[in-house]
Amino acid sequence: MMKITVIGGSGLIGSKLVNILRERGHEVVAASPSLGVNSVTGEGLEDAIRGSQVVVDVTSPPSFEDKEVMDFFVKSTRNLLAAEQDAGISHHVALSVVGTDRLQESGYFRAKLAQEELIKSSGVPYTIVRATQFFEFVSSIALVATEGDIVRLPSALTQPMVSDDVAAAVADFTLKTQVCGTVEVAGPDQIPLDELVRQYLSATRDRRQVITDASALYFGSVKVDDQSLVPCGNRPHIASTRFGDWLKQF
């Protein structure tokens, strides 16, 4: 049994991760601002990680504006790593995004890359888990790309996965020996971005029409191609849940 602190432990991935790790028999501290732990200000951080062997960072910023998101990830990560060094933490696990280094037109991905670089240079043994887009965020992709009743998206390949599988993959790597490197996790199927949203809108009986537009941007800010949003490593971890099966709930 290990003691594990999950920073961002009340969020979409964090809450699932906490439950999975507890079910596997580990002592887990869920830490987030709503639970009295703020990694950006440092409030409650020392107490939250005291006695833990592993700290997992699955935090999300309150704002996605360029400056705010960069400030969030830089301040939060610096505070976490400093506290971990003082506490003798043996493994830092961070959730990141597949394609982060290829999507640098976006302020969010620039901030995620800055976070990754801080982790790599910290001296704390680490594993960075890069995941592909979540099924649950397809509605947001559609919303940003909507003009009236038309959704304009490119046909760039995606390989999305459900948040349950993301949390399970992060749990697996949390309990393994640190790799001091980056691993990738993805869903089982590659689907063009326009078709991904088209299937979602059809399943949810949404009347908007998806138009394939090679010049359309991902989340309104990034030009993507068939290599942007899919794993580029040799041996990505492939989850089991298919998008079509997930859509059956609607």
Side-chain angles (χ1 to χ4, degrees):
M1 187 188 77
M2 290 192 294
K3 183 177 180 181
I4 302 165
T5 300
V6 178
I7 308 295
S10 60
L12 173 65
I13 300 300
S15 58
K16 297 175 187 291
L17 177 61
V18 166
N19 290 336
I20 291 170
L21 292 172
R22 285 174 176 167
E23 288 170 359
R24 296 186 188 183
H26 300 280
E27 179 184 354
V28 185
V29 176
S32 68
S34 64
L35 299 171
V37 180
N38 189 319
S39 57
V40 175
T41 65
E43 177 189 2
L45 200 54
E46 183 180 344
D47 289 340
I49 69 173
R50 183 178 292 116
S52 291
Q53 288 80 51
V54 185
V55 172
V56 188
D57 181 4
V58 290
T59 52
S60 294
S63 168
F64 288 86
E65 294 296 324
D66 286 2
K67 184 180 184 304
E68 285 80 358
V69 74
M70 181 64 78
D71 285 347
F72 174 86
F73 280 120
V74 169
K75 290 178 181 178
S76 175
T77 303
R78 281 177 175 163
N79 285 339
L80 276 175
L81 293 169
E84 289 171 19
Q85 288 172 327
D86 290 342
I89 298 298
S90 60
H91 192 186
H92 176 97
V93 181
L95 179 61
S96 192
V97 187
V98 163
T100 287
D101 51 342
R102 304 189 293 274
L103 301 170
Q104 290 295 292
E105 294 170 340
S106 161
Y108 176 80
F109 291 108
R110 289 195 296 272
K112 291 299 291 183
L113 189 61
Q115 178 190 33
E116 291 185 5
E117 293 303 324
L118 286 169
I119 294 167
K120 292 176 183 178
S121 63
S122 70
V124 177
Y126 69 92
T127 301
I128 296 171
V129 182
R130 284 185 173 180
T132 53
Q133 186 57 262
F134 303 171
F135 293 170
E136 288 87 349
F137 293 158
V138 174
S139 60
S140 297
I141 294 172
L143 179 62
V144 173
T146 296
E147 301 172 0
D149 292 327
I150 300 297
V151 182
R152 296 187 181 278
L153 288 166
S155 59
L157 287 178
T158 67
Q159 198 168 336
M161 58 192 300
V162 72
S163 61
D164 288 345
D165 287 348
V166 176
V170 174
D172 288 343
F173 285 107
T174 297
L175 301 178
K176 292 179 180 179
T177 302
Q178 61 272 19
V179 302
C180 291
T182 301
V183 295
E184 294 181 313
V185 298
D189 301 313
Q190 291 192 347
I191 311 170
L193 183 60
D194 55 343
E195 182 60 23
L196 183 76
V197 173
R198 191 175 287 116
Q199 290 181 22
Y200 174 79
L201 296 182
S202 175
T204 56
R205 295 165 293 281
D206 191 311
R207 294 181 179 273
R208 283 177 291 173
Q209 180 183 2
V210 177
I211 301 296
T212 304
D213 183 347
S215 66
L217 301 178
Y218 181 60
F219 273 116
S221 64
V222 185
K223 186 172 179 58
V224 291
D225 58 30
D226 284 347
Q227 286 74 49
S228 301
L229 305 173
V230 298
C232 65
N234 293 326
R235 300 179 65 183
H237 173 92
I238 302 299
S240 60
T241 307
R242 298 185 180 279
F243 187 60
D245 292 335
W246 180 77
L247 288 176
K248 292 176 182 177
Q249 68 183 293
F250 297 105

